[in-house]
Amino acid sequence: MVVTANTPSTPAPTHKKHEKHVDCEPLKDLIRTVPEFPKPGILFYDITTLLKDKVGFAQLIDAFAAHYIDRDIDLVLGIEARGFIFGPALAYRLNAGFVPVRKPKKLPAKTARVSYDLEYGADALEIHLDAIEPGQRVIIVDDLLATGGTMQATVQLVRQLGGEIAGLGFAIELDFLKGRAKFPKYDIFSLLHYDE
């Protein structure tokens, strides 16, 4: 398993002097697969079984932190809902702030909004207009990279607010769906890869 998941089309990160590679492959044993959820034809990778394992969850956050620790990150953005699990823990480790990216009508102040397509439907995401100051370095984390629609919407939100995207982080990447192809300009870091 390759922890840093750069491809030839993805520029190599420039801050690697203290980066540590953590073997996360054993964490696959803690992830449950649920067929036909949320609809027929979908195989769902359930991370709740990993999250309840204190050693596994710690290893997952440690692997994320090792990748980003020397990159001067100002903010970690977590995408609703499972990005809320990783984001705050990672932000704490990086001495960064945390910003939630939420479904519509959940944030109380003025927001920016982007609509997007999912592999099994459509949705929208919002972020507070004052969540990111222009030029702040941010990373965006989520549990899964599938077709990339959710992350693509979040990238648009960050661009609208003038943030500098330092990386996109995922616990799981479904390689066969080729979602990373939508992000050739960004460092994509996925801890676990599935080919089917």
Side-chain angles (χ1 to χ4, degrees):
M1 167 41 230
V2 179
V3 174
T4 182
N6 293 316
T7 64
S9 64
T10 304
T14 56
H15 299 86
K16 286 191 143 190
K17 59 183 178 180
H18 296 116
E19 185 175 315
K20 297 176 183 176
H21 297 277
V22 180
D23 179 17
C24 292
E25 195 68 16
L27 295 180
K28 284 186 175 180
D29 294 336
L30 300 173
I31 295 173
R32 171 173 51 199
T33 55
V34 181
E36 313 303 323
F37 183 84
K39 73 173 194 176
I42 302 290
L43 179 63
F44 187 82
Y45 291 85
D46 180 15
I47 62 166
T48 62
T49 46
L50 164 61
L51 298 174
K52 73 177 185 177
D53 185 283
K54 62 184 179 181
V55 174
F57 181 57
Q59 185 176 0
L60 181 123
I61 297 301
D62 286 348
F64 271 133
H67 185 74
Y68 294 113
I69 197 70
D70 290 326
R71 302 193 185 196
D72 300 320
I73 304 302
D74 297 306
L75 298 170
V76 176
L77 275 62
I79 303 173
E80 187 168 348
R82 287 176 291 275
F84 291 0
I85 299 167
F86 310 122
L90 180 57
Y92 174 79
R93 291 290 305 276
L94 299 178
N95 195 29
F98 173 73
V99 173
V101 177
R102 302 216 61 184
K103 300 287 177 68
K105 300 181 181 178
K106 298 288 184 71
L107 294 170
K110 292 183 179 179
T111 62
R113 178 177 178 164
V114 171
S115 298
Y116 65 101
D117 293 323
L118 289 166
E119 55 270 26
Y120 47 82
D123 213 333
L125 289 172
E126 296 182 342
I127 190 172
H128 275 140
L129 287 176
D130 61 357
I132 303 171
E133 296 178 10
Q136 282 190 306
R137 289 175 54 78
V138 306
I139 54 174
I140 309 168
V141 295
D142 204 4
D143 66 323
L144 180 73
L145 174 58
T147 60
T150 306
M151 183 59 75
Q152 198 169 36
T154 307
V155 166
Q156 290 179 40
L157 289 170
V158 173
R159 286 173 152 177
Q160 284 181 30
L161 299 185
E164 178 186 338
I165 299 173
L168 312 177
F170 304 92
I172 296 170
E173 181 173 350
L174 304 183
D175 295 338
F176 58 96
L177 293 177
K178 305 186 186 306
R180 72 169 43 236
K182 293 182 178 176
F183 311 101
K185 297 180 180 179
Y186 300 112
D187 169 48
I188 299 174
F189 178 66
S190 300
L191 297 176
L192 298 170
H193 293 263
Y194 290 87
D195 293 324
E196 58 183 0

